[in-house]
Amino acid sequence: MTLIPFTPDRADDVARLEAECFGANAWSRTAVLASAAREDFVLFLAVDDDGRTLGYINGFFVCSELDICNLAVGTEDRRRGVGSFLLRGLLSWAKEQEIGRVTLDVRTSNAAAKSLYEKAGFVPCGTRRSFYAHPTEDAALYEITLPAGK
Ligand SMILES: CC(C)(COP(=O)(O)OP(=O)(O)OC[C@H]1O[C@@H](n2cnc3c(N)ncnc32)[C@H](O)[C@@H]1OP(=O)(O)O)[C@@H](O)C(=O)NCCC(=O)NCCS
């Protein structure tokens, strides 16, 4: 498994995984490409040895902070460490960029993702009422402070 930066030829893969993982809230191919063109957006993919896209992680950053937006792994490739691999890769990139704090929000019912984030060292830092739509649900907020230095 390899971590690679997004390139436009992978937009269909990301849009397919968006639809598979986020249903009514999925980003379209156009939205993926528009976000990827922004200078404050980062998007990494995990690909297997045949070049197949297994999952992706993305986020927006400003100054020394990064907010993770989406982490997704195809249903057939879950529970094999792909999500953790993507998260480790993004945190490693963030450290290189001298980003000191990473935040994220996740549906309160999403036990799988919360467990993954907590194992990576994220700590709960609040909730946001009715933050999500389709269906309406609270968000659990998490943060991690990255140590300074290489
Ligand atoms: C959440 C998600 C990214 C996890 O990806 P993954 O590749 O299966 O995760 P990993 O194999 O790296 O699992 C790491 C840890 O996460 C937790 N975890 C992952 N899937 C889980 C599940 N179905 N139930 C409970 N815990 C789970 C476990 O603690 C796991 O560690 P373990 O395997 O040692 O028990 C994946 O399920 C997914 O894409 N879900 C839909 C999209 C989503 O909810 N994204 C997150 C919100 S933005």
Side-chain angles (χ1 to χ4, degrees):
M1 186 162 47
T2 311
L3 189 78
I4 60 169
F6 173 81
T7 47
D9 58 308
R10 301 269 179 180
D12 285 337
D13 291 353
V14 175
R16 174 179 50 77
L17 288 170
E18 276 282 323
E20 188 177 313
C21 297
F22 301 113
N25 300 303
W27 288 11
S28 66
R29 182 179 188 278
T30 304
V32 170
L33 284 168
S35 296
R38 291 175 52 151
E39 291 191 351
D40 59 351
F41 187 75
V42 58
L43 170 47
F44 286 113
L45 309 164
V47 298
D48 70 11
D49 292 346
D50 298 324
R52 189 170 63 90
T53 304
L54 305 173
Y56 64 87
I57 190 165
N58 61 37
F60 290 95
F61 55 95
V62 57
C63 301
S64 62
E65 299 217 354
L66 166 70
D67 186 52
I68 296 176
C69 203
N70 279 336
L71 166 63
V73 175
T75 46
E76 288 181 6
D77 295 303
R78 290 183 189 165
R79 294 316 287 266
R80 288 201 244 141
V82 178
S84 313
F85 173 78
L86 283 159
L87 184 57
R88 276 199 308 277
L90 183 63
L91 293 180
S92 169
W93 172 88
K95 199 159 174 280
E96 282 168 22
Q97 308 305 308
E98 301 186 350
I99 284 169
R101 181 168 176 261
V102 182
T103 56
L104 62 87
D105 53 80
V106 57
R107 286 181 181 269
T108 50
S109 66
N110 194 342
K114 290 200 292 186
S115 171
L116 186 160
Y117 292 131
E118 286 170 14
K119 281 185 176 174
F122 279 82
V123 291
C125 61
T127 54
R128 206 165 276 156
R129 295 293 298 273
S130 303
F131 182 67
Y132 297 106
H134 316 296
T136 302
E137 188 174 345
D138 294 353
L141 309 180
Y142 282 86
E143 67 178 354
I144 189 171
T145 303
L146 301 180
K150 299 287 172 192

